Amino acid sequence: MEERPLLFRGGSNSGGSGSGGVTPATHLQSPRPGDTYNYTLSGKLQGVGTNVSYSFTDSLVAGYSQTNYSGVNVLIANYAYNLNLSNGQSIAVNTQYVESSDTSGDVMAYGFSQNGALATYNPPIIDLPAAWSNTLSLDQQTTTSSGVSDVVISSVVGAENVSTPIGNFACSKVNYSENTSTSTNTNGTLWYPPEMGAAPIKLSETVTLVGSDGNTYTGTVNGVLSSTNVPIS
């Protein structure tokens, strides 16, 4: 599946403040080499029109390192999943993404590597905006070097206080959708405290995709940030 895990997408690039007595941070703490985020996920995988129906638990580790890419120092975002299905099957996925901040401070995604093959985005997309508000809205379209088109629409729909195992946060609540030419469609909600850098601290999403067997599958995922080494500002 040639697309970026949506756990780290959302937002746009304008400023403002929160609403309803909740005031999230308005400026992103840019991700740095060595930043690590650990998530606890759970959900269900179902086959449309089949008897497949599995619940699952999942651990996700997201970490950042720095490297040189085409003569430029860039960040590598590494996402390691370990999906444990209720039928006893375990699925491991590891994906890396090439990112860098532009002159405005927006974190741009330039490409990704999965199973050792690098695919680039044309054009690059905003992965994390530098500035946040309760009126952010973004509609992006890109195509990978392997020919997969990708449309991502996201917007902040309000502000909420969210309680997590590592504390309480004032968050921007982001609704988003993503549609690719490989018939992979995703809809979900992310809760972002921008002072935590690349991390949404809570997520809820539904993914529909066509498997290699030709069947359509739907996965629902809920998750929360369980630990991080990123200082809470």
Side-chain angles (χ1 to χ4, degrees), residues 19-217:
S19 61
V22 179
T23 307
T26 59
H27 195 81
L28 174 73
Q29 177 180 288
S30 295
R32 300 159 300 188
D35 285 355
T36 302
Y37 304 93
N38 298 283
Y39 291 83
T40 300
L41 308 178
S42 63
K44 181 175 287 188
L45 177 66
Q46 294 178 293
V48 179
T50 74
N51 293 324
V52 173
S53 181
Y54 302 125
S55 60
F56 65 83
T57 58
D58 190 0
S59 60
L60 166 66
V61 179
Y64 282 82
S65 60
Q66 191 171 45
T67 191
N68 187 281
Y69 175 73
S70 298
V72 178
N73 287 327
V74 296
L75 285 174
I76 298 296
N78 184 78
Y79 303 136
Y81 294 81
N82 187 28
L83 184 68
N84 297 302
L85 298 175
S86 57
N87 67 346
Q89 184 180 6
S90 181
I91 301 172
V93 180
N94 189 280
T95 309
Q96 295 81 39
Y97 295 86
V98 179
E99 299 181 340
S100 182
S101 296
D102 65 9
T103 55
S104 70
D106 294 335
V107 177
M108 307 297 296
Y110 292 92
F112 66 93
S113 177
Q114 195 169 64
N115 300 323
L118 178 66
T120 57
Y121 293 123
N122 183 24
I125 61 174
I126 297 174
D127 193 45
L128 290 163
W132 290 73
S133 78
N134 64 343
T135 59
L136 292 177
S137 182
L138 185 66
D139 185 340
Q140 299 189 95
Q141 300 183 41
T142 190
T143 303
T144 72
S145 54
S146 54
V148 177
S149 61
D150 195 351
V151 178
V152 183
I153 300 173
S154 54
S155 61
V156 173
V157 295
E160 289 184 4
N161 283 319
V162 177
S163 178
T164 77
I166 63 172
N168 300 321
F169 297 89
C171 297
S172 293
K173 182 179 179 181
V174 181
N175 285 349
Y176 68 87
S177 65
E178 178 172 26
N179 296 281
T180 76
S181 57
T182 57
S183 299
T184 300
N185 304 312
T186 306
N187 292 279
T189 303
L190 306 173
W191 287 261
Y192 271 99
E195 73 272 24
M196 288 295 293
I201 61 168
K202 180 181 175 183
L203 66 120
S204 178
E205 66 182 21
T206 299
V207 182
T208 301
L209 57 86
V210 178
S212 58
D213 58 5
N215 291 321
T216 299
Y217 295 89

